[in-house]
Amino acid sequence: MKNNHLRYIFSLFLLFVLIACSTKKDKWVNRNWQALNTKYNVLYNGNMALDKGIEEVKQTYSDNFWEILPVERMQVSSENILPGQNKNANFARAEEKAVKAIQKRSMNIDGKEKNPQMDEAHLLLGKARYYDHRFVPALEAFNYILYKYPESDKIYEAKIWRERTNMRMDNDALAAKNLRKLLIDMKLKTKIKPQTYADVNATLAQAFLNLEERDSARARLKVATDFTKSKEEKARYTFILGQLYDEAGEKDSAYAAFQTVIDMRRNAPRRYIIQAHARQAAQFDFNKGDTIAFLKKYKSLMEDRENRAYLDVLNHQMALFYDKRSKGKQAVKYYNKSLRTKSSDQYLMASNYRNLAKIYFDNAKYQSAGQYYDSTLTRLVAKTREYRYIKNKRDNLADVIKYEGIAQHNDSILNVVSLSPAERKSFYEDYIVRLKKADIEKAEAEKKQREKMERLARNVNSNDDVIDPIAGAKGGPGLPVGPGTGNAGRSVTGSKPSGGTSPFKEGNAAAGQSSSSSASGKSDAFYFYNPSTVAYGKLEFKKKWGSRGLKDDWRISSSKEADSDKKDNAENKDSISGSKEDKIDERYTPDFYLKQLPESQKVLDSLAKERNFAYYQLGVIYKEKFKEYKLAASKLEQLLLNKPEERLVLPSMYNLYKIYEIIDKPKAEAMKNRIINQYPESRYAQILSNGATSQDNANLSPEAAYESLYKTYERGEFIPTLSGLEKAVEQFTGEEIIPKMELLKAAVIGKLKGLAEYKKALNYVALNYPNVEEGKQAESMISKDIPALERLQFDKEEPLSWKIIYKISNVETPAVKAVADKLKKFVSERTVEKLTLSVDVYTMTEDFIAIHGIGNEQKAVDIATILKDYKEYKIPLEAIVISNENYKIVQIKKNLAEYLKPTPALPQAPPVPKSDDKGKTDKQVTPPQTTPQQLTPPAPGTMPPSGDDAKQKRQQMIEQQIREAEEKRRKLDSETQKKEPEMQAPVDSDDPQETPNPPAPVKGK
């Protein structure tokens, strides 16, 4: 009976569930059953996943306290997400649960939703997509709530999330407009949750921040701070308020806001409290403030265990305190402490490196400063203004390092040389005493470091039973016995192995048994698999036997080697202490240094000249690039005291005048008078005395001189350009325009002297100006362009056109002018071929007259023959037929002699019988290695056979034109011979039998 009752009850419950599970019936049971399952099953799990994902986002997010903090702690990544991928698995799970609730629990009956939990499902869907950075689908979900569920109790929350999504999509103005309407609407309602009101104001504040409306943002943040129930949000909003006050220059309000954050104590996250302390420290007056209270406060903060994670910030503030008070040593100490904490704040690390670089720079330690600037650049974001500033400063510092090194090195040599012999010896004896002391300290430090590393090697693995012998007696508890003793010692598992066990078997702790043994208690560890035991064994072997080679009878020879090692060590120690007179390090003798001093006056003058130029460059760099006017003045003043060469005196005095105008007006006036009185004709004197017009001053400027010379270069007047550049470089020494002039000079040298000299000139620019754009460009050309030009060779490319060139002097003479006129006449008459004529610069003393536009080599040979033999022209110069490609190589490398150099003659084969074919002439069979330039050109009027009909027709047409010209020439020559029978001029003929070897122009090799 009882079973029947249970059966009936179960059947009724099953029937109830079946009826309630239907989403198509609008019954009380169905609505509440679906709502209950949606809220406490699907949505509950989805919200749990969402909360977990949000917590992960907050933990991974790192605030940049160097800028105004955003209201919401979420960083939008720029990484592209493929379809189906998610940034966080928790958000994917939350979205999956929301979709499941919508698809399986929705009761859309007659166009209305009967399940009251569907608005929350869509809200969860939108949030999951928002945190997954899929803002367009998220916006769609929030808009669906506003459209489908206008009476929902989540309507305000949905509107807030919609505007947050709009802001993420850069629709800040639209978001601000909608949030203003929402605030007006909320004021008309009586029951509004305080947290919802705080969220609206905080979101609107972020919109105003994005729109750069700071005052409106501050007003909204105040309201949000008053209404929010979250302590973390209250601390964050208050800190942002402090930042906004500080940015606006309202220091008192900012200090009070940061103090509010500090007073929250444990109710605020620690990061806000520490950063609030740092912000207050930035407002501290380091000269008039209570420094004792400041130090006491920060020492207390650093001793607090809760602040260990923020020691990077605290040490940085202490370093700034000492830095502002000009206590560089203490500042360096705390900057280094801040760096050793390995902070995740990259800009804080960059600030530490930057400030350290400035300290070392001010102390004239330029090498160290350059290294710290390099570290600064690695932690700054590229393409920012600060990065470019530091990069420019680092590039300029390279020149400072270079010239400071030259100045110090040469100064030290010249100072020592100026001493008497006794003073020199005394100077180096004092130096040797300091050197010995430093070497002894270095040896002791290395010994201590070596002993420390040995101890670490013995105790590197705490899981091994390898114990430092210093820690206990031999054979003591836990101390393993050395291999080969027969006693394996104690195992890690505590089991005692039987006596006589091999040290390489299981159970020997010293042989490498570790806690990673198998579950069965057996160990398969091998002695040499454990690095700690191997290191320990090596150290013990070296202690007992010393360093031994792998050879037979090593024990027998050990005594001699050991004695030798001991003797060497003793001698080394004695050499450092100076007690061994028979073997003394030459670095500890004055003669070692004295014999290296230069004695030649020429060398000393060169050192002085190099030092003076370095002082001048340092003065200009400090003045122009670092604005260190006092330091620049000291360098230039020292330069004038050194009595430099004349070319540096006047520029140094003028730069000193410009510096004194900034730092010392009376000195500036005195220097001005000195320049005008001593150098009245100089351009500096004209500028200072205002005797020249503004146009004259412009013409005197280096930039105007460069522009003029560059225009001369563009006109192809290379020799005047080179002469002008040499004068300008001498005149404007030290000006910033000099690298440009040197690079232009290199280009001119390449045009006039060829590739080898061009490379040398570029190398000069690259070495002397490595940190300016011109020096880098020269270095790039040396590494990329020059090798490509050096690889150019004759006849490696298929010729596209040919030229006839005549080498002439670049000085215009009547003979040269006559040749040029005849060639111009010839080119103007040859209208069919469209030939052109030009005069091309070749070297400093020679030019080329070149005829361009000839289609093939044979035609060029024929034209050259006409110009040589035809009476109307009779060009007396040697014609050179050359392809366009080879002509480029000649102009680049200036190697015409190499091109004309004849190739050694090869033995010729017997002549081939004359062919019966019409149009073919006798030819000799030559070896296949012979190049076209080695063959004797055919006589005028003959054409080589061709298999191409079109080409043959063109050749026949050209041949016909040349024959007509030759016929006309023969008639004129015949008439001339009749009139002048006494002249015995050679008669030209087109018949190869009459003139077997006609005069041919030089062509090829």
Side-chain angles (χ1 to χ4, degrees):
M1 187 69 180
K2 185 176 181 180
N3 292 335
N4 291 334
H5 285 299
L6 292 174
R7 189 179 297 112
Y8 292 145
I9 293 172
F10 179 76
S11 299
L12 290 173
F13 177 76
L14 182 62
L15 180 62
F16 175 80
V17 170
L18 291 175
I19 295 172
C21 283
S22 177
T23 59
K24 301 299 182 182
K25 296 181 179 180
D26 186 14
K27 302 295 184 182
W28 181 88
V29 174
N30 299 81
R31 291 194 301 270
N32 286 278
W33 176 262
Q34 296 297 339
L36 184 67
N37 275 279
T38 303
K39 182 176 181 179
Y40 292 107
N41 185 6
V42 185
L43 291 185
Y44 175 80
N45 291 324
N47 284 316
M48 290 290 290
L50 181 68
D51 293 340
K52 190 181 293 185
I54 294 173
E55 189 63 28
E56 289 181 5
V57 168
K58 290 183 177 180
Q59 288 177 358
T60 56
Y61 178 75
S62 179
D63 282 310
N64 182 9
F65 288 95
W66 301 94
E67 298 177 354
I68 303 296
L69 295 181
V71 171
E72 185 180 17
R73 297 187 70 235
M74 187 182 82
Q75 179 67 38
V76 177
S77 174
S78 59
E79 297 178 1
N80 295 324
I81 301 299
L82 298 176
Q85 291 184 344
N86 298 92
K87 288 183 175 294
N88 191 306
N90 290 307
F91 297 138
R93 177 175 172 79
E95 183 177 3
E96 179 186 351
K97 293 298 180 182
V99 171
K100 182 178 180 181
I102 294 170
Q103 289 179 346
K104 295 188 176 182
R105 303 295 178 182
S106 177
M107 298 179 65
N108 194 346
I109 302 173
D110 296 333
K112 292 184 179 181
E113 181 58 56
K114 303 300 182 180
N115 188 341
Q117 296 297 321
M118 283 301 101
D119 55 348
E120 294 193 17
H122 282 91
L123 187 62
L124 174 62
L125 179 64
K127 289 180 181 180
R129 291 173 173 175
Y130 175 85
Y131 282 110
D132 205 32
H133 300 173
R134 293 158 50 222
F135 300 118
V136 174
L139 186 64
E140 181 183 2
F142 297 135
N143 282 329
Y144 187 82
I145 298 173
L146 302 179
Y147 166 72
K148 199 70 175 178
Y149 311 105
E151 302 299 328
S152 171
D153 59 345
K154 302 292 182 182
I155 193 70
Y156 290 140
E157 189 174 353
K159 288 182 177 181
I160 294 170
W161 280 101
R162 182 186 67 175
E163 305 317 323
R164 287 181 180 177
T165 308
N166 277 325
M167 285 191 293
R168 294 293 182 181
M169 299 170 65
D170 296 329
N171 296 325
D172 300 304
L174 177 62
K177 178 182 178 181
N178 292 336
L179 287 169
R180 284 195 188 99
K181 291 181 180 179
L182 180 59
L183 280 175
I184 295 172
D185 187 30
M186 293 177 73
K187 289 179 181 179
L188 301 176
K189 303 292 182 181
T190 55
K191 294 182 179 180
I192 300 296
K193 294 181 180 179
Q195 186 60 46
T196 303
Y197 192 67
D199 291 343
V200 174
N201 283 278
T203 306
L204 183 56
Q206 183 62 60
F208 285 137
L209 287 175
N210 295 343
L211 295 170
E212 300 295 332
E213 298 178 12
R214 303 297 203 202
D215 293 338
S216 301
R218 281 159 47 181
R220 294 299 99 199
L221 274 176
K222 288 178 183 178
V223 177
T225 304
D226 294 337
F227 281 87
T228 183
K229 300 300 182 182
S230 171
K231 295 177 181 179
E232 194 274 339
E233 288 182 356
K234 186 182 290 291
R236 188 175 184 86
Y237 298 162
T238 306
F239 187 88
I240 296 173
L241 274 173
Q243 288 181 309
L244 293 173
Y245 285 129
D246 195 8
E247 184 185 59
E250 300 177 18
K251 302 297 182 182
D252 294 338
S253 299
Y255 193 93
F258 293 132
Q259 189 61 44
T260 302
V261 177
I262 294 171
D263 293 339
M264 292 180 70
R265 299 181 183 274
R266 296 184 181 276
N267 290 328
R270 203 68 184 170
R271 59 181 175 274
Y272 298 127
I273 295 176
I274 298 298
Q275 292 294 337
H277 281 296
R279 287 282 184 164
Q280 286 184 340
Q283 300 181 12
F284 182 73
D285 189 344
F286 294 96
N287 296 321
K288 299 180 181 179
D290 190 350
T291 57
I292 297 176
F294 181 91
L295 291 175
K296 182 179 178 181
K297 171 184 174 181
Y298 266 85
K299 287 181 179 178
S300 174
L301 288 172
M302 287 190 288
E303 291 172 358
D304 192 344
R305 294 175 61 88
E306 294 184 1
N307 298 334
R308 285 186 176 182
Y310 306 99
L311 286 176
D312 54 341
V313 179
L314 298 174
N315 282 306
H316 179 76
Q317 292 301 323
M318 286 291 288
L320 287 176
F321 171 80
Y322 287 114
D323 200 357
K324 295 287 186 180
R325 293 179 62 82
S326 301
K327 296 183 177 180
K329 189 174 181 181
Q330 290 90 337
V332 170
K333 173 185 174 183
Y334 281 101
Y335 280 134
N336 286 324
K337 279 188 175 183
S338 179
L339 289 172
R340 283 195 292 270
T341 57
K342 298 181 180 179
S343 172
S344 60
D345 188 345
Q346 292 298 308
Y347 190 78
L348 179 67
M349 301 282 282
S351 299
N352 288 328
Y353 283 122
R354 181 196 61 219
N355 296 343
L356 282 169
K358 187 177 186 305
I359 292 173
Y360 283 110
F361 180 84
D362 293 339
N363 293 332
K365 296 180 179 178
Y366 304 107
Q367 194 72 33
S368 299
Q371 294 171 354
Y372 279 111
Y373 277 129
D374 289 336
S375 300
T376 305
L377 291 173
T378 60
R379 286 162 177 81
L380 288 176
V381 179
K383 298 182 180 180
T384 59
R385 181 179 300 175
E386 185 175 12
Y387 180 90
R388 291 193 296 270
Y389 172 77
I390 298 294
K391 183 70 167 60
N392 186 44
K393 197 168 186 178
R394 176 63 182 90
D395 293 341
N396 295 333
L397 192 60
D399 285 336
V400 172
I401 294 171
K402 172 187 173 182
Y403 290 117
E404 283 286 356
I406 293 173
Q408 294 174 6
H409 177 265
N410 292 9
D411 258 339
S412 63
I413 294 175
L414 294 171
N415 289 337
V416 173
V417 170
S418 65
L419 300 174
S420 65
E423 290 174 335
R424 294 180 194 175
K425 187 174 182 181
S426 176
F427 174 82
Y428 284 118
E429 286 174 349
D430 294 340
Y431 171 76
I432 289 169
V433 171
R434 296 193 302 270
L435 179 63
K436 286 181 178 180
K437 183 179 179 181
D439 286 349
I440 292 172
E441 292 176 353
K442 182 180 178 181
E444 291 176 353
E446 290 178 352
K447 182 180 178 182
K448 290 180 181 179
Q449 183 67 19
R450 190 164 53 250
E451 292 175 353
K452 180 180 178 181
M453 295 304 296
E454 290 176 358
R455 288 196 299 271
L456 289 175
R458 288 193 294 267
N459 300 309
V460 66
N461 194 342
S462 60
N463 292 329
D464 297 330
D465 280 347
V466 181
I467 301 175
D468 192 344
I470 299 175
K474 185 177 181 180
L479 182 66
V481 180
T485 60
N487 187 0
R490 296 177 60 187
S491 66
V492 176
T493 60
S495 60
K496 187 175 181 180
S498 59
T501 304
S502 171
F504 303 116
K505 299 269 180 96
E506 61 185 15
N508 187 357
Q513 180 172 345
S514 65
S515 58
S516 61
S517 301
S518 61
S520 61
K522 295 182 180 181
S523 173
D524 57 352
F526 182 55
Y527 177 87
F528 293 103
Y529 291 167
N530 193 321
S532 60
T533 56
V534 171
Y536 174 73
K538 288 181 178 179
L539 291 172
E540 290 299 317
F541 183 87
K542 284 187 177 181
K543 282 184 179 180
K544 185 174 182 180
W545 302 103
S547 298
R548 298 302 174 91
L550 185 60
K551 59 183 180 179
D552 295 337
D553 300 329
W554 60 271
R555 287 173 179 264
I556 296 174
S557 60
S558 63
S559 59
K560 294 182 179 180
E561 292 178 2
D563 293 340
S564 177
D565 292 340
K566 291 179 181 178
K567 184 177 180 180
D568 291 341
N569 293 333
E571 288 179 354
N572 289 335
K573 292 180 180 178
D574 291 339
S575 65
I576 294 176
S577 62
S579 62
K580 281 279 183 181
E581 297 181 357
D582 55 340
K583 190 177 182 180
I584 299 176
D585 191 342
E586 62 178 359
R587 295 184 304 121
Y588 302 142
T589 61
D591 292 338
F592 174 73
Y593 304 100
L594 290 172
K595 66 184 180 182
Q596 296 184 45
L597 292 176
E599 298 179 355
S600 171
Q601 188 61 39
K602 184 177 180 181
V603 175
L604 295 175
D605 292 342
S606 175
L607 289 173
K609 184 176 181 180
E610 191 178 21
R611 176 201 61 185
N612 293 338
F613 185 73
Y615 271 116
Y616 178 78
Q617 289 293 339
L618 288 170
V620 174
I621 291 171
Y622 289 138
K623 169 181 170 281
E624 299 293 341
K625 298 181 178 179
F626 291 104
K627 310 303 179 185
E628 297 283 347
Y629 298 113
K630 292 183 178 180
L631 190 56
S634 67
K635 296 296 181 183
L636 294 174
E637 289 168 353
Q638 182 62 43
L639 171 63
L640 294 177
L641 292 176
N642 292 338
K643 297 181 179 179
E645 53 271 29
E646 190 66 26
R647 70 188 184 94
L648 295 178
V649 174
L650 193 53
S652 301
M653 295 172 67
Y654 182 76
N655 278 296
L656 272 175
Y657 163 75
K658 301 297 288 185
I659 295 170
Y660 288 152
E661 275 193 323
I662 300 172
I663 63 175
D664 196 335
K665 294 289 185 180
K667 284 188 176 182
E669 188 64 27
M671 184 59 68
K672 174 183 175 181
N673 294 331
R674 183 179 171 186
I675 293 172
I676 294 174
N677 295 331
Q678 294 183 6
Y679 305 93
E681 301 299 327
S682 67
R683 68 186 183 95
Y684 298 107
Q686 294 179 26
I687 294 173
L688 293 176
S689 62
N690 296 322
T693 63
S694 58
Q695 183 62 36
D696 293 332
N697 284 333
N699 293 334
L700 290 170
S701 68
E703 290 75 13
Y706 176 80
E707 291 296 330
S708 175
L709 289 169
Y710 190 77
K711 290 178 181 178
T712 307
Y713 170 78
E714 287 183 324
R715 291 195 298 267
E717 301 173 8
F718 300 130
I719 295 177
T721 304
L722 182 60
S723 176
L725 283 170
E726 290 173 347
K727 293 179 182 178
V729 169
E730 184 72 19
Q731 181 182 3
F732 301 113
T733 299
E735 299 286 351
E736 293 185 0
I737 201 72
I738 290 298
K740 286 181 177 292
M741 290 185 173
E742 290 288 359
L743 189 59
L744 180 59
K745 183 179 175 182
V748 176
I749 288 173
K751 294 285 187 181
L752 294 174
K753 299 183 180 180
L755 183 60
E757 294 297 324
Y758 180 49
K759 183 178 180 180
K760 291 179 183 179
L762 286 176
N763 192 50
Y764 175 84
V765 177
L767 291 177
N768 286 276
Y769 311 100
N771 298 305
V772 298
E773 186 62 31
E774 289 75 17
K776 295 175 183 177
Q777 184 180 351
E779 184 65 33
S780 175
M781 294 169 72
I782 291 172
S783 60
K784 297 179 182 178
D785 298 343
I786 296 297
L789 295 175
E790 288 176 337
R791 289 193 294 268
L792 293 175
Q793 295 181 11
F794 292 122
D795 303 319
K796 290 296 183 182
E797 296 184 18
E798 185 70 22
L800 301 178
S801 64
W802 292 79
K803 304 177 187 294
I804 302 172
I805 60 176
Y806 298 92
K807 188 161 63 172
I808 62 173
S809 171
N810 60 3
V811 179
E812 187 173 351
T813 61
V816 171
K817 189 175 184 306
V819 169
D821 292 340
K822 290 178 182 179
L823 292 176
K824 286 179 183 177
K825 179 182 178 183
F826 175 80
V827 169
S828 62
E829 291 175 352
R830 305 287 287 196
T831 57
V832 178
E833 292 86 352
K834 296 182 180 179
L835 303 179
T836 58
L837 186 73
S838 68
V839 179
D840 301 336
V841 176
Y842 182 53
T843 63
M844 295 284 291
T845 58
E846 295 176 326
D847 292 343
F848 286 140
I849 298 181
I851 301 175
H852 310 273
I854 305 174
N856 56 69
E857 181 183 9
Q858 184 59 53
K859 186 176 178 181
V861 171
D862 294 339
I863 292 174
T865 305
I866 294 173
L867 291 172
K868 181 177 180 63
D869 297 333
Y870 192 32
K871 182 183 176 184
E872 189 175 353
Y873 304 110
K874 286 288 184 180
I875 303 298
L877 302 177
E878 181 181 47
I880 302 172
V881 175
I882 188 171
S883 67
N884 185 56
E885 289 70 22
N886 288 341
Y887 183 67
K888 292 178 182 177
I889 298 174
V890 167
Q891 283 286 23
I892 291 171
K893 298 187 176 183
K894 308 301 179 186
N895 58 348
L896 181 62
E898 179 185 345
Y899 180 77
L900 299 177
K901 186 177 180 181
T903 305
L906 297 175
Q908 295 184 349
V912 179
K914 188 173 182 179
S915 174
D916 294 334
D917 295 338
K918 184 178 181 181
K920 294 186 179 180
T921 60
D922 293 338
K923 294 192 295 183
Q924 291 180 338
V925 177
T926 57
Q929 293 83 1
T930 307
T931 61
Q933 284 81 357
Q934 295 168 341
L935 297 175
T936 303
T942 61
M943 296 295 296
S946 173
D948 190 344
D949 294 340
K951 184 177 180 181
Q952 187 173 3
K953 289 180 180 180
R954 288 196 299 271
Q955 296 289 2
Q956 290 174 355
M957 185 182 299
I958 295 169
E959 180 183 359
Q960 181 64 27
Q961 294 174 356
I962 294 174
R963 281 178 180 154
E964 291 176 357
E966 288 300 313
E967 186 66 27
K968 182 179 179 181
R969 177 179 60 81
R970 284 196 296 270
K971 289 180 180 179
L972 290 174
D973 288 344
S974 178
E975 293 175 0
T976 304
Q977 288 177 353
K978 290 178 181 179
K979 293 178 181 180
E980 302 176 2
E982 66 280 1
M983 297 182 61
Q984 298 180 356
V987 180
D988 294 333
S989 174
D990 289 336
D991 189 355
Q993 297 297 330
E994 282 189 34
T995 56
N997 293 309
V1002 179
K1003 75 182 188 79
K1005 297 181 181 178

